[in-house]
Amino acid sequence: MFLVPIESICTDTITRTPLTKESDAALLKKYLTPYGSTTSNYDVWVSTNPNADNYRVCHSSAGAGGSEVALLTVFKGNPSYFDVVTGDDTEGKIYVGSPVTIKFVGYNLDTRPNRDRAKLVEDSKSCDAGAPAGGVPMATDLGPADSYGPETTFTTWTFTITSSGSFRVCYMRAGTGWVDVPSI
């Protein structure tokens, strides 16, 4: 198994990033045998540090060129994802004027004032260049309490959108750049 950039094809041998088959039995059991099952029909493949980009996941038999088996988007960072904790309806929609709380999940986050930050930007803008949107100011004091370090694995942000639109959620860890955070 290997990755190639989305603009390449699986038979391109120059741009390949190899994937390693995971053999840690405890990890495999944790992720591949849900609901108490003791067996799995799946494998876990690992790549160390691919760059943020879009990739083709390819499979190659011995001596063969390669076949595409999936598309993969690698985001550039930490936090890994966010989830809406309160404020959305049963379809996952958020409405103007209703308070919303989202939870960012990552590692080594910092909820002290003026450290990690969050903002909404127009969906057509990048997190780096986009100004705060939706009538929501940039958050500079994330919750739930002042905490930092490797054990700080989540932060929360409560806000109210005052103007409609389509937005992306952005996060900036102290001392780093803005990242586009995917939702689960």
Side-chain angles (χ1 to χ4, degrees), residues 84-139:
V84 178
V85 178
T86 61
D88 60 339
D89 67 11
T90 57
E91 295 178 354
K93 295 179 183 176
I94 296 170
Y95 295 96
V96 172
S98 296
V100 175
T101 298
I102 61 176
K103 177 180 180 178
F104 296 98
V105 178
Y107 60 92
N108 203 22
L109 303 176
D110 192 338
T111 61
R112 295 174 295 174
N114 298 309
R115 302 296 293 163
D116 288 6
R117 299 163 189 262
K119 67 179 178 177
L120 298 178
V121 300
E122 293 178 13
D123 194 44
S124 62
K125 307 286 184 190
S126 72
C127 285
D128 286 327
V136 180
M138 178 173 44

Side-chain angles (χ1 to χ4, degrees), residues 1-3 24 28-29 37 53 56 74-75 86 90 98 104 113 124 126 131 159-161 169 173 178:
M1 299 285 281
F2 56 93
L3 301 176
D24 181 323
L28 294 174
K29 184 175 182 182
S37 172
D53 207 344
R56 296 180 194 283
V74 176
F75 292 92
T86 61
T90 57
S98 296
F104 296 98
S124 62
S126 72
F159 58 89
T160 301
I161 295 174
V169 176
R173 290 180 54 227
W178 287 101

Side-chain angles (χ1 to χ4, degrees), residues 71-89:
L71 298 176
L72 173 71
T73 299
V74 176
F75 292 92
K76 70 176 182 178
N78 181 25
S80 303
Y81 65 90
F82 78 89
D83 189 23
V84 178
V85 178
T86 61
D88 60 339
D89 67 11

Side-chain angles (χ1 to χ4, degrees), residues 1-2 10-11 16 56-61 64-70:
M1 299 285 281
F2 56 93
C10 289
T11 56
R16 289 183 178 184
R56 296 180 194 283
V57 178
C58 307
H59 178 266
S60 176
S61 300
S67 300
E68 181 178 307
V69 295

